[in-house]
Amino acid sequence: MYIEIALIAVGLSMDAFAVSVSNGMAISNLRLRDALRFGLFFGFFQALMPLLGWLAGSLFSTYIISIDHWIAFGLLAYIGGKMIRDSRESDEPCGCTHVRILIILSIATSIDALAAGITFAFMPINILVSILIIGSITFALCTLGALLGKQIGSKVGRHAQTVGGAVLILMGIKILIEHLFF
């Protein structure tokens, strides 16, 4: 069962990984500490959301599932638009390492994990081990993603923040389309 949880964790963390890569691209002076911060925030929320979903069980599932894609789309579009706007207004990178921004991005990319947690309530699993696996895998992937983004960003140069913002908006649109049409 833990192999399946690890595979679920990789799937759930892909949105957060993509956001970490785009943020790594956008921050010209990204340090290891910043990359670890991305991993910590995304890993924490990817672990917290399944736990909350598991606790809520099916009580709120119909409400969450019906709007989760709109919430994720709105948050990602807002942050992506802010990154693009900031890239045009100044040479300074946006505050993508600020706690407020990281919390918004972490929530936006972990809403699907909340829905997954609801399904965990109906499965014979150890929820604590499961969320540790999910959080650890997300932490590792997002830390590496931010460092990878830094390497890509140094090659893309000044337009990295615009590209990163566009990636976030496209991620939001992808989430919206997947939930509305598939």
Side-chain angles (χ1 to χ4, degrees):
M1 179 57 110
Y2 295 120
I3 292 173
E4 290 87 356
I5 297 297
L7 292 173
I8 290 169
V10 170
L12 290 173
S13 67
M14 284 299 103
D15 288 349
F17 173 78
V19 169
S20 295
V21 170
S22 68
N23 281 331
M25 289 170 50
I27 301 170
S28 59
N29 61 345
L30 183 91
R31 298 169 298 202
L32 177 60
R33 184 180 83 177
D34 299 322
L36 290 169
R37 194 173 197 187
F38 284 123
L40 183 65
F41 272 83
F42 287 118
F44 174 77
F45 277 90
Q46 286 288 356
L48 176 65
M49 292 299 203
L51 178 61
L52 294 177
W54 179 79
L55 291 171
S58 63
L59 183 60
F60 300 110
S61 66
T62 56
Y63 303 112
I64 294 167
I65 291 171
S66 65
I67 63 168
D68 66 345
H69 49 283
W70 288 106
I71 295 169
F73 167 73
L75 292 172
L76 289 171
Y78 169 76
I79 298 297
K82 181 180 180 337
M83 285 175 69
I84 291 170
R85 185 183 69 242
D86 289 351
S87 73
R88 303 210 184 289
E89 293 175 357
S90 124
D91 290 337
E92 295 295 315
C94 84
C96 294
T97 61
H98 293 192
V99 171
R100 181 176 54 91
I101 299 295
L102 285 174
I103 289 172
I104 291 170
L105 290 171
S106 297
I107 291 170
T109 58
S110 64
I111 291 173
D112 285 348
L114 180 71
I118 291 169
T119 65
F120 290 169
F122 306 106
M123 298 169 62
I125 64 166
N126 181 328
I127 191 64
L128 295 179
V129 172
S130 298
I131 64 171
L132 285 173
I133 292 170
I134 292 168
S136 298
I137 288 174
T138 303
F139 170 81
L141 287 174
C142 290
T143 300
L144 292 173
L147 295 172
L148 175 65
K150 177 183 179 182
Q151 295 303 313
I152 295 169
S154 67
K155 292 173 181 36
V156 175
R158 186 182 162 137
H159 301 290
Q161 190 169 346
T162 301
V163 171
V167 167
L168 293 184
I169 292 170
L170 290 172
M171 291 288 304
I173 291 169
K174 173 191 156 283
I175 290 168
L176 191 62
I177 289 171
E178 283 177 348
H179 285 272
L180 291 177
F181 300 111
F182 301 103

